[in-house]
Each structure stands twice: as C-alpha cells, then as structure tokens.
Amino acid sequence: MHFDIIIRNGEVYDGCGSEPISADIGIKGDRIKSMGNLRGATAERIIDCTGLAVAPGFINVLSHAWEALLHDGRSLSDIKQGVTLEVLGEGYSPAPLNDAMASEMKAEQGDIEYEVTWRSVGEFLQTLVASGISCNVATFVGATTVRVHELGYDNKTPSQENLRRMRDLVRTSMREGALGLSSALIYTPACFATTEELVELAGEAASAGGIYISHMRSEGDSLIESVEELLEIARRAKTAAEIYHLKAAGKSNWKKIDRVIESIAAAKEEGLQISADMYTYTAAKTGLDAAMPPWVQEGGQQAWIERLKNAAVRAKVKSEMLSPSRSWENGYMHAGPEGIVLVGFKSERLKPLMGRTLAQVAAERGRDPAETAMDLVVEDKSRVEVIYHWMCEENVRKQIRLPYMSFGSDAPSMAPEGAFLRSSAHPRAYGNFARLLAKYVREEKILSLSEAIRKLTSLPASNLSLVNRGRLAPDYYADVVVFDPKNVRDTATFELPHRLAEGVHHVLVNGVLVIASGEHTGATPGRAVYGRGARK
C-alpha cells in the first residue's frame, strides 16, 4: 500500500468518545483510506506522532471568521488550536444581500476592508474559498439578514407577501448550502421578529434538512422564557434546535441555569432534538448596542446614532439602562460599568481607550457611565465593541459536563499581527479550544480527553448533519489535528489577548498539511462544507 501521508505511532481518538487506540492512519488525496497497522505501507510523507494525540479536526460551531479570512486566509488563531471548520452566520449571515445591504456592509467596515462582490450564500462561499483559506467553512442563513433584506431595520410585522419572499430566501440559501436558520434575538432588528415569524422560517430550513440555532431573546432576566420559546419553535417547525453560547448572564440570573438544564432534559425526553454550544470563559464580547433598549436602535445604526444626539431621547435611554428589564437584554445592568471593557473602535482618536472599563473612561471624562456609553457610540459612529463580565465559573464547569454541549469561539479567527492588532480582542479568539483541553480536561479533569474530543468533533458534525466530517475513519475527509495533551494550552489573556495557543504540532485540512511541527505551511486547502439540502 502506498499513501500520500501516513500518520504513525500516535494515540488515535476517533472522535466518537471511545478510548484511544494505537494505530496508523493512511491518507490519499483528501480522504482517510486506511487505519490500523500500516507498517508495511509506504508514503510520500510519514509523520511520527509518538507521545501525541491524533484526533479529527475540531469544529468551531460559532465563528465570526469570515471578514478576517477574507483579509488573511490562514485562520491562524484557530488553526493553531486544531480547528479545521469554521461555522459562520449567527443571526447575521454574510448573505443573502441586496444591493443596499452590500453598500451598507462596505460603508461600515473598520480595520479590515474588502469588496462585497457576492449576493447569495452560494456566491459568498465560492468567493471566500477562492480567496484562499486554510480552513473549511460552512454557514447558516441568518433570520436577521433575511428580515433586513425584505423589511429593513423597522419594527414591523411582515405581510404575507413579505413572509413568502423571506421563506424563498431561506429556501434558496438552503439549496446553496446553508446548514439551517440562525437567529440572534437580543439585537435589533432581530428582536422585532415574532415567534410565528421564526417558526415559518425555521420550518422552511427544516424542510430542506437544516436545523434552527439561536442566540435567544434573553440570556438573563428572561432566560427561562427564552428557552421555552426556542423549544416551541422546535416543536412547531418540526426541527432540531441548538442554543448558541448557552449562559446565564448577570449575577441575579446565575441560579437559573439549573432550570434551563431541566427544561432541555424534559424536551429531549419528549423527543425533541435539542443541543447547545458554549465558549469556555465567564465574559462575553459584543457591542454597546447590548446595553441600550431596542427602540432607540430601530431603523439601523445611523438612526440610532442620530437619536442619541437628542437630549430627551438620551434621558429616556439612560433611565432604561439603569433599570432592570424583562423586555430587552440589559447588558449594562448585567455587567455594570466596572464590568464593561472597551475593546474595539473604528476611530483612531478613540483607540487609546481600548482595554479600559466604561467606568474608568467615564471617570476620566467626568461623566456618568451611561452617558459615556452613548457618547462613545456617537463619537465612533459604531456600536463600539466591548467585553461584558457577567457569567460565573461554576456554571461554565456545569455546562461543560453536559453530554449535548459542543463549543464555539463566538469570535473571528485572526493573527497577532497587522490590521488585527489595531483593535483588542477577547481571549476566546485565540484560546477557546486549547483552554478546554488544558484547564478543564488536563487540570480540572471535568471531562476525559476522549469525551472532550467527541464534543469538538463528531457531536457537532452530527448535529449539523455534516457528511464524512468529524471522525477518523476510512472514507472520511482527512481533517486531522495532532497535539500534545500534556502541553496544549491557551496563552491569551484579557490583558494580552493576541497570543497564539501552544501544543498543536500538526493540522491537516482535506489531506493537506496546514500546520507542520507547529508552524503554518502557507497552504490554503480549505473548502466550503455544504448542508445536506444543498444542490451540488
């Protein structure tokens, strides 16, 4: 037998949760062709993995990598952790776009600039792969994107004709390879969608073999009710459903996680296919839009900024920011100004504020923190990227143990160089997966290594109905990570986030070495991974 590559002498984890075996892996072209004792076989390249773990490439279930990949296709921060598939499209997806949306996407670009030449999901995936990427990519179609395409940013109910066109967009996107329908319901204009609207769109995706995945309407004060809404959508749309980055936000809500787990268990007993994903940190990253009520943001970013210039509007916004609410997700209350860290601005004048808390900047300016948040949005002409410290470590550990839990960084895949250094970052962009293997597997022993690998590979592949991905087995694509389980670790911190993980020795994507002996080879073999409803 002759192969292109033989991976030899490693401890092989097949991705299904079983204990490792000592085996060789023979790779020809983009596929695994044989596993077992291949001592008599030859190969163009033999990789000695003595003392190392060999696993399927990891799947990042929630990635915001697409803009970063258009700028730098190496996917360095994730590839260096063993991630071979980036799943895109949380609520907002890169497509479908109309001309106005494409112009808006171009106008709102920050540190990274690119041409918006695509309109459909299929065109986007082709464009991204053609640009040269080291990882595989897949995407959901975003309910927000579909809504903006037909209704803009206004708070209004779609007519039957609107809804028909929205369903058509979902159907077309599924045929072009989308994995299902996603939503992000704490943000405008997504929060204006009713449960009925989401059932209609999720049902369309389900009829094409996709799932419904959601950043729920609340992860804090109305967390329990939001889980119930997701379960209702799953029932009525007859679809599998997943909760994006499961969490209980705000100290007063931490205890609610037990009720959430009970609700999911009951739904699974009922026969619903419910899963969840998470990142391995107690802080979130989003914008200051999550600190202000939806009504002030209706109409889009420019309308929001213009309203914040009005004294009467500002007084009302401030009053609502300082009051608990069950009608919108009040990130300001959940984290407090001391727990909100400024990490991303468009304006060069404001970039020196990165790394400071909202409370610190307010004190320096002699202003109230809520007023300062509004000032910064107006000054930067953006939503301003921030980190919210609002979860607890006990819940992180509890969630990691759940058998249906997979993992997503909720971040772009970047590099500690160039344009990426013009903004700060959340350490999850560089360490989410390595942190799982180092802190929660090796150090705290919350999971066995074989179970952690299952949650990073075959579990999400099964949830997303990916064909021949997520396992090490003959005829599966040769997406492989080789790492040192004794030394793999995250090095990124909140203070120094742009630091690559360590301990991954080799990574193959579609049978091509992308990381060899810890270094990026420059190879860009990444492909689009399509949902099962795609018409190839």
Side-chain angles (χ1 to χ4, degrees):
M1 292 183 290
H2 184 76
F3 300 95
D4 296 328
I5 295 174
I6 293 177
I7 296 173
R8 184 162 282 166
N9 301 327
E11 290 294 298
V12 176
Y13 294 79
D14 66 2
C16 297
S18 55
E19 289 302 303
I21 61 171
S22 296
D24 303 328
I25 301 175
I27 297 168
K28 198 166 184 63
D30 61 1
R31 306 279 182 139
I32 295 170
K33 290 300 181 183
S34 185
M35 290 176 60
N37 186 342
L38 302 179
R39 292 299 171 186
T42 57
E44 299 301 316
R45 181 164 188 164
I46 295 176
I47 302 173
D48 184 3
C49 298
T50 301
L52 302 177
V54 182
F58 302 153
I59 297 173
N60 185 350
V61 180
L62 174 49
S63 171
H64 295 296
W66 64 273
E67 290 181 311
L69 290 174
L70 284 170
H71 177 74
D72 180 351
R74 291 175 299 168
S75 192
L76 203 58
S77 63
D78 269 358
I79 282 282
K80 287 282 284 184
Q81 298 180 77
V83 173
T84 59
L85 173 60
E86 305 281 347
V87 182
L88 312 168
E90 181 201 7
Y92 272 108
S93 53
L97 306 176
N98 54 35
D99 289 346
M101 294 167 73
S103 296
E104 182 180 55
M105 184 179 288
K106 178 69 175 176
E108 292 183 356
Q109 290 169 13
D111 296 334
I112 295 174
E113 298 180 350
Y114 52 91
E115 294 303 317
V116 185
T117 58
W118 64 89
R119 294 296 181 270
S120 70
V121 164
E123 290 171 352
F124 164 74
L125 290 171
Q126 292 166 10
T127 298
L128 187 54
V129 171
S131 71
I133 53 175
S134 295
C135 57
N136 296 315
V137 291
T139 190
F140 283 90
V141 56
T144 311
T145 303
V146 168
R147 179 172 242 274
V148 172
H149 194 286
E150 293 303 315
L151 301 174
Y153 294 90
D154 295 334
N155 181 5
K156 61 183 180 182
T157 301
S159 67
Q160 286 302 308
E161 178 60 20
N162 292 143
L163 197 56
R164 183 192 65 77
R165 291 199 298 267
M166 291 162 72
R167 290 182 61 141
D168 286 346
L169 287 170
V170 172
R171 186 183 309 115
T172 300
S173 297
M174 293 299 296
R175 288 174 178 170
E176 295 183 354
L179 300 179
L181 181 81
S182 67
S183 65
L185 301 175
I186 75 165
Y187 304 108
T188 56
C191 61
F192 303 142
T194 63
T195 303
E196 187 63 41
E197 178 182 324
L198 295 167
V199 168
E200 289 288 317
L201 299 182
E204 193 66 57
S207 68
I211 73 167
Y212 174 65
I213 188 166
S214 180
H215 179 157
M216 299 182 299
R217 214 172 285 275
S218 172
E219 298 171 327
D221 295 343
S222 298
L223 172 61
I224 305 301
E225 296 84 349
S226 295
V227 171
E228 290 304 319
E229 182 187 36
L230 178 130
L231 298 178
E232 179 185 350
I233 292 168
R235 286 189 195 96
R236 293 175 57 191
K238 296 180 173 56
T239 183
E242 178 156 321
I243 299 171
Y244 269 137
H245 46 53
L246 180 63
K247 67 175 74 70
K251 188 173 183 179
S252 63
N253 296 309
W254 291 349
K255 61 183 180 295
K256 293 180 180 178
I257 201 66
D258 292 330
R259 286 186 59 191
V260 170
I261 293 170
E262 291 170 3
S263 294
I264 294 173
K268 292 172 82 67
E269 282 288 321
E270 176 190 332
L272 295 179
Q273 297 179 51
I274 307 298
S275 55
D277 56 68
M278 65 180 292
Y279 43 84
T280 54
Y281 298 81
T282 58
K285 177 179 176 291
T286 182
L288 284 176
D289 48 343
M292 300 183 201
W295 62 264
V296 76
Q297 301 173 55
E298 182 181 355
Q301 182 171 285
Q302 191 55 44
W304 173 31
I305 291 169
E306 288 303 315
R307 288 191 188 102
L308 291 181
K309 297 177 182 178
N310 181 289
V313 169
R314 289 172 69 96
K316 184 179 179 184
V317 170
K318 178 179 176 180
S319 175
E320 294 190 25
M321 289 173 69
L322 299 177
S323 304
S325 174
R326 298 181 68 82
S327 63
W328 65 282
E329 190 81 310
N330 191 339
Y332 187 88
M333 289 291 292
H334 290 334
E338 299 82 8
I340 299 175
V341 182
L342 307 168
V343 295
F345 294 96
K346 290 177 66 174
S347 166
E348 292 297 327
R349 183 179 67 81
L350 295 174
K351 285 183 182 292
L353 301 180
M354 292 189 304
R356 301 184 195 177
T357 68
L358 181 61
Q360 288 170 333
V361 172
E364 290 168 5
R365 292 183 168 203
R367 296 275 283 170
D368 173 85
E371 292 279 353
T372 300
M374 290 183 272
D375 292 342
L376 292 173
V377 169
V378 173
E379 292 171 32
D380 200 52
K381 299 181 176 61
S382 83
R383 70 176 195 154
V384 181
E385 297 292 324
V386 298
I387 288 173
Y388 292 92
H389 289 271
W390 59 16
M391 288 96 80
C392 71
E393 186 65 33
E394 179 185 353
N395 282 352
V396 169
R397 294 187 179 102
K398 188 176 295 185
Q399 293 172 198
I400 284 173
R401 292 187 178 98
L402 295 171
Y404 51 80
M405 183 64 68
S406 55
F407 296 90
S409 68
D410 196 9
S413 185
M414 55 183 79
E417 59 188 60
F420 298 117
L421 297 181
R422 296 180 64 195
S423 291
S424 188
H426 191 301
R428 67 192 184 191
Y430 288 85
N432 188 60
F433 307 95
R435 181 176 173 85
L436 175 71
L437 299 174
K439 178 177 173 63
Y440 297 107
V441 173
R442 185 176 64 239
E443 297 171 12
E444 299 189 8
K445 297 180 172 51
I446 288 174
L447 291 179
S448 67
L449 182 55
S450 59
E451 177 65 359
I453 289 171
R454 182 187 75 84
K455 289 166 173 280
L456 291 167
T457 59
S458 69
L459 175 62
S462 175
N463 291 340
L464 301 175
S465 299
L466 305 182
V467 178
N468 292 338
R469 304 274 181 186
R471 290 180 56 196
L472 297 182
D475 295 327
Y476 273 63
Y477 289 97
D479 298 333
V480 185
V481 54
V482 180
F483 65 96
D484 183 350
K486 296 180 180 178
N487 291 299
V488 64
R489 69 186 186 103
D490 56 309
T491 67
T493 65
F494 286 100
E495 294 74 26
L496 296 170
H498 288 288
R499 297 171 65 177
L500 296 167
E502 299 175 352
V504 170
H505 288 229
H506 311 287
V507 177
L508 291 88
V509 176
N510 300 313
V512 177
L513 268 169
V514 173
I515 299 292
S517 300
E519 298 299 323
H520 202 289
T521 65
T524 54
R527 300 176 183 172
V529 175
Y530 297 103
R532 65 181 180 179
R535 293 184 176 177
K536 306 287 195 308

